[in-house]
Amino acid sequence: MTLYLGRRLLAVAGVLVAIAAVTFTVFYVLPSDPAAAACGKSCSTDRLEAIRAHMGLDRPLWRQFADFVTGIFTGRTMGSGQYALHCAFPCLGYSYENSEAVWDLLMDRLPVSASLALGAAVLWLALGLSAGVTAALRKDSLTDRALMVGAVAAASLPVYFTSMMLIYGLIRTAGLLPYPQYVPLGDDPLHWASNLLLPWLALAVLYAAMYARQSRSSMIETMAEPYIRTARAKGLPRRTVVVKHGLRAGMTPILTLFGMDLGGLLAGAVITESIFGLPGIGRLFYGALSTGDQPVILGVTLLAAAFIVVANLAVDLLYAVVDPRVRY
Amino acid sequence: MNKRTCTALAAVLAASFALGTAGCSGGKQSAGGKDGKNPAAAHEGTAIGGTPQKGGTLTVLSNQDFTHLDPARNWVMNDMDFGTRLLYRTLVTYKATPGTQGGGLVPDLATDLGTPSADARTWTFHLKQGVKYEDGSPVTAQDVKYNVERSFSPDLPGGADYAARYLAGAEGYRGPAQGRHLDSVKTPDDRTIVFELRKPFAEFPNATVMPTFAPVPQAQDKGPQYDNRPFSSGPYKVDSYARGKKLVLVRNDHWDPGTDEVRKAYPDKLVVLMGLKANQIDDRLIASQGADASAVSWGALRPESAAKVLPDARVRERLLAESTNCTDMVQMHTGRAPFDDPKVRRAVQYALDRDAVLTASGGPAFNDLSTAYMPASLFGGKQPDTLKIPVTGDADKARQLLKEAGKPDGISTKITASAGDKGRAEAVQQSLGRAGIKVTIETVDPSAFYATIGDTENRTDMVYTGWCPDYPSGSTFLPFVFDGRFIKEKGNSGNHSLFRDDATMKRMDEIGAMTDTKAAAEAWQQLDGRILAQAPTVPVLVRRWPLVLGTNIAGAYGHTSFGGQIDYATVGLKDPAKSRD
Amino acid sequence: MTTTPTPASSPAPAAVPAGSGPWQLARAELRRRTAVKVSLAVVALFLLMAAGAPLLSSLAGWSPEEFDKTAVDPYLGGRPLGPLGGISADHWLGVEPVTGRDLFARVVHGAQVSLLIALTATAIVVLAGTAAGITAGYFGGRTDAVLSRLMDLTMSFPSLIFMIAMMSVAKDVNRILLMTAVIGLFGWPGVARVVRGQTLSLRHREYVDAARVGGSGPWRILTRDILPGVAGPVIAYTTLIVPGMIATEAALSYLGVGVRPPTPSWGQMIAESVAFYDTDPMYFVIPSTCLFLTVLAFTLLGDALRDVLDPRSGRT
């Protein structure tokens, strides 16, 4: 187990460095000029050159990349003179647009994206799994068909359509909810939830539909396995069979899916955050795109990759707990 | 809309526009008329909501963050309004008055509007006594000098360049970082500051309105991070600032209203909520419920929200739509083919359907068509129409001009527009297409827009951009847009037509040297028409800055010198008890 | 509760003559399903619409980029005149607010762009994925290890975020081409995994061994013996990833990094119409419905194909 874990962690680090290298190459080789973007309405060549030097863009690419990678582990000092910047560990670069270290920016936005992702995840797991399992256990019944038709339709709805309908129905017409506006959980849990409910719903509808379809087919497959038949033949109550044996094995493919989805969402749901105006990482990322704020783009991509890789690792470890067939 | 609501709407509009008729037959244009009074401009030059009460929290709903609040870097109209009216004081500032009188100057940190030497090359300002920072320490002349120096620093880009343009010995100066200082700014004592200029500049006090001339104490300077926490000399100080999310301002107890004739500082607290969706802000302010009643919008009303605002008299009562005074122009590269030929440029002038661009820009309620370069405020209220080109253009005449220029088959060209002007650019594209001028649009992110079009070598033949006078004088418009001597190969600004005409430049110098401001103003107006005849650019429209206010807002008007943004010096609440916390 | 396969999802042998091949069986089974017929019809309709876009819009009398100022009310922010977003004999689906451009013309041209990108990207993904999957599965060993690592790496990329970033960085390139390439770049590992699994199970079947013993080279075995064996799952999987591709194109265009104006695509049309969702609902509903119907039809079709062609695989 320890050996396995060690090997996996090493692989995780390798993947992250590879992703950093690819991302870095794409953004620093393709033409885009952050110094020019920072220079503003009336920009002299003189001033532009100075900013470029300060940003370190005149140095060879591999040096910039090497500085970047070492910075993550040790922190680094950028620029010189009175305005020298110390970018503390873990230094993911410095955003000139925001005059802030990328890591601080990301950590500042993370609670918003995490609130959105986790809340939505709870909703979609509850909705999706219960719908999927119900449908599977009543295969080909009217309930099954209704649930699956609903799931296919909901999975085909573009998230922006669902969002606008929710805004129209629940805010504009019924006035039940406020326009989403992030309130930190620590400040006021009730407002936190009521402001996020709508984005949660919008995201959850899409994912719940996918999970319902997935868990249904997975459950059907599991329930047809011989060991389930054995358990039933032994005379175990149906409940025990379904919950203890069926669900446990049937949920493994769901877990893989869930790891990927949650990992991806933690680093920002770009569309949902931009529709509802939530100041999360997705929004930060989108803003960085339009200002050409490359350090932030790089940082968000890396963070997202890290979340996905770590979520995958966590899922693999969880397998051992959930699926009795898996041992490391 | 269906026929019945159309009629009803037309009736409402007809009544409120004071129009005789507003036909609604056969699905033709239902509402408004070009000769009718603009319903959006009803509050032009007036304040809405009466005099505010002291106290409460004013909420500002914004779809974006500030570009810069660091006074050395702040050169965006709205941000300058917010910064100089709430957080820091400048040597001189604009009057807090609705209408064109708002362009007038009043001393702020200084005791008067400055004393020039005989040749207007040296300007002396004395600072008022008792002006303090948020920690109670006094504002000194050295702090003003220090911020002027900061504005030269390459680490702090974005700010106004008046100091660089006018101060003597400023060439090559790169800020105070290495302990180097500007000798042309002298501080004989703590409350006196003297500026030595490169050439006579009678309008120098107008330039000292810029945030460049606000004080920053050296001990508080944190380089680029100063942007996140400017040290206050105004009525409010930063309580918390989460970039892109929320800015909270609370009272600066050391600010003495006795030293300040401009800022009223009615609310106890200002909360700026950022990163919201523009359309959701519009909806919230139209509904104006709960805490939103005490809110104002930071950005202009979206054109698509016009249909929810204009027909409703109760919402219209809360609508400000002051002119931005910025002229949008289609600017052609006069330095190379095909636009080096004035005939081709005039063809564009005639082909352009300004009415279509106007519709794309939100319609006549939120824009005024432009028939001259300088905005109406520099023409004493109304632009002349010297060319008399129909608003929808004259495609036949344009084709004929192209034929005369030896291009009977038309031309193909490209236009660069900022992403926000995409709709306007599409209207330009469509209307020039009618005359055989095939245009391809390149949209550029707003942040990279000026850098892109400033590259004179690689930019497209046409650009869609405008110019706003920094203060009400022709000298901040025509020389910036049409003086060929300020063209830069990279980082070019203002003169995007790369127009270089000796007669024009000679005349500009003559007018610049005039001491009689009235004669100078008239001379600028005449020059405007003369340049227009050569068609380096086509003036299209002047936008308004429409804002819907919450029902609890008082003392709000669009300030003409801040691009029509609400004057944050005077805005407050009718009933502070109704605002949040 | 029943755990045995029910007639609905198993082929009904009585309907087909004895001795029919697997493909005929599949076709007969598909023909029995109403959902398949309906979704095929919808897919065909949109494909025809996309293919015949120029013809259709010239029939309606408007090009997708032509302004019609008489159809909008400039005083109300350019709201279309007339009911339902300006639907009339002149404008079959109404007009775009502000510009008065014909919505029908834009929707059919938008279909062209959206479907072109989605289908080409799918083709790239399927070709690359099948090639990689077969190679990894058949040759095994180091080849398999390298390709599998590459799949893992590609799947660890935050694909949407990365796609957006790439689209926004690249400036002067053919947007449609770039978008297709970028979408395709991140899609192949899914297909590759399915194909690899299938190939692994096929490569030691008797008939493959027989071919090998008979002296067939790897190329011949791969194309003659393995490829037909993986075709079923690949077809089903392909149909199921098309909706994802359409949705991705829409998402990129929605975020403003997709095709350039004035070229219409559904995602871009929806993005622009969101602001009008309450003042001109039809403008918002029409492209959204097109997108919804297409995605739905491909999903239903893919479900059915999977049931029939690849009954073992419940997982995608």
Side-chain angles (χ1 to χ4, degrees), chain A residues 126-155 205 208-216, chain C residues 300 303:
Chain A
L127 289 175
L129 295 192
S130 54
V133 173
T134 312
L137 297 183
R138 301 196 186 145
K139 192 160 172 284
D140 297 315
S141 69
L142 202 64
T143 324
D144 176 24
R145 276 161 191 271
L147 280 173
M148 284 308 113
V149 168
V152 166
V205 165
M210 294 187 333
Y211 279 60
R213 282 159 56 79
Q214 194 70 41
S215 57
R216 175 182 177 270
Chain C
L300 288 174
D303 275 355

Side-chain angles (χ1 to χ4, degrees), chain B residues 482-537:
Chain B
F482 298 113
D483 190 333
R485 289 164 296 188
F486 286 99
I487 297 172
K488 285 172 260 175
E489 195 189 331
K490 280 203 163 45
N492 187 37
S493 78
N495 189 350
H496 293 297
S497 59
L498 305 150
F499 186 63
R500 194 188 292 273
D501 177 61
D502 291 334
T504 305
M505 291 188 280
K506 190 162 158 276
R507 184 69 187 139
M508 283 179 187
D509 288 347
E510 286 167 15
I511 305 174
M514 285 184 185
T515 45
D516 179 353
T517 49
K518 198 155 170 271
E522 265 168 33
W524 286 124
Q525 292 168 10
Q526 275 163 13
L527 184 62
D528 188 283
R530 272 175 35 197
I531 302 172
L532 186 64
Q534 300 183 58
T537 81

Side-chain angles (χ1 to χ4, degrees), chain B residues 217-300:
Chain B
Q218 187 163 3
Q220 298 290 337
D221 187 13
K222 295 182 206 70
Q225 278 107 325
Y226 192 78
D227 217 9
N228 298 342
R229 181 68 180 79
F231 194 61
S232 170
S233 54
Y236 297 93
K237 62 182 176 186
V238 177
D239 182 59
S240 66
Y241 186 10
R243 299 275 334 213
K245 292 199 292 197
K246 191 176 183 184
L247 169 68
V248 178
L249 300 186
V250 293
R251 282 195 188 281
N252 166 16
D253 297 323
H254 295 283
W255 170 75
D256 177 6
T259 64
D260 198 328
E261 58 179 290
V262 174
R263 299 170 186 83
K264 299 284 182 257
Y266 290 117
D268 286 337
K269 192 172 165 189
L270 277 103
V271 177
V272 186
L273 296 169
M274 296 176 263
L276 306 173
K277 291 296 283 179
N279 291 295
Q280 291 175 15
I281 295 174
D282 293 346
D283 287 347
R284 284 171 71 166
L285 288 171
I286 291 167
S288 189
Q289 274 162 358
D292 291 342
S294 306
V296 295
S297 163
W298 178 251

Side-chain angles (χ1 to χ4, degrees), chain B residues 441-517:
Chain B
I441 300 173
E442 309 254 330
T443 51
V444 178
D445 292 317
S447 57
F449 178 67
Y450 290 105
T452 308
I453 64 172
D455 183 348
T456 55
E457 184 71 28
N458 299 313
R459 58 160 260 205
T460 56
D461 287 337
M462 290 197 222
V463 297
Y464 187 92
T465 185
W467 189 260
C468 320
D470 272 320
Y471 49 85
S473 161
S475 66
T476 68
F477 199 102
L478 295 181
F480 280 86
V481 184
F482 298 113
D483 190 333
R485 289 164 296 188
F486 286 99
I487 297 172
K488 285 172 260 175
E489 195 189 331
K490 280 203 163 45
N492 187 37
S493 78
N495 189 350
H496 293 297
S497 59
L498 305 150
F499 186 63
R500 194 188 292 273
D501 177 61
D502 291 334
T504 305
M505 291 188 280
K506 190 162 158 276
R507 184 69 187 139
M508 283 179 187
D509 288 347
E510 286 167 15
I511 305 174
M514 285 184 185
T515 45
D516 179 353
T517 49

Side-chain angles (χ1 to χ4, degrees), chain B residues 278-279 282-283 286 301-309 359-362 366, chain C residues 76-79 97-98 271-280 283:
Chain B
N279 291 295
D282 293 346
D283 287 347
I286 291 167
L301 188 79
R302 300 281 309 157
E304 53 275 14
S305 300
K308 290 179 259 186
V309 173
T359 306
S361 187
F366 298 145
Chain C
L76 289 180
R79 179 150 84 170
V98 178
E272 294 196 352
S273 67
V274 159
F276 295 90
Y277 83 100
D278 56 342
T279 48
D280 182 8
Y283 179 37

Side-chain angles (χ1 to χ4, degrees), chain B residues 1 29-30 304 353 422 426, chain C residues 69 73-74 82 101 272 275:
Chain B
M1 66 195 128
Q29 314 267 10
S30 73
E304 53 275 14
D353 181 348
K422 198 187 81 186
E426 284 184 51
Chain C
K69 276 196 281 181
D73 184 344
R101 291 187 289 207
E272 294 196 352

Side-chain angles (χ1 to χ4, degrees), chain A residues 164-177 179, chain B residues 289, chain C residues 277-278:
Chain A
M164 295 322 286
M165 288 301 102
L166 286 170
I167 289 179
Y168 189 71
L170 295 178
I171 301 182
R172 286 291 303 280
T173 313
L176 287 175
L177 291 169
Y179 278 99
Chain B
Q289 274 162 358
Chain C
Y277 83 100
D278 56 342

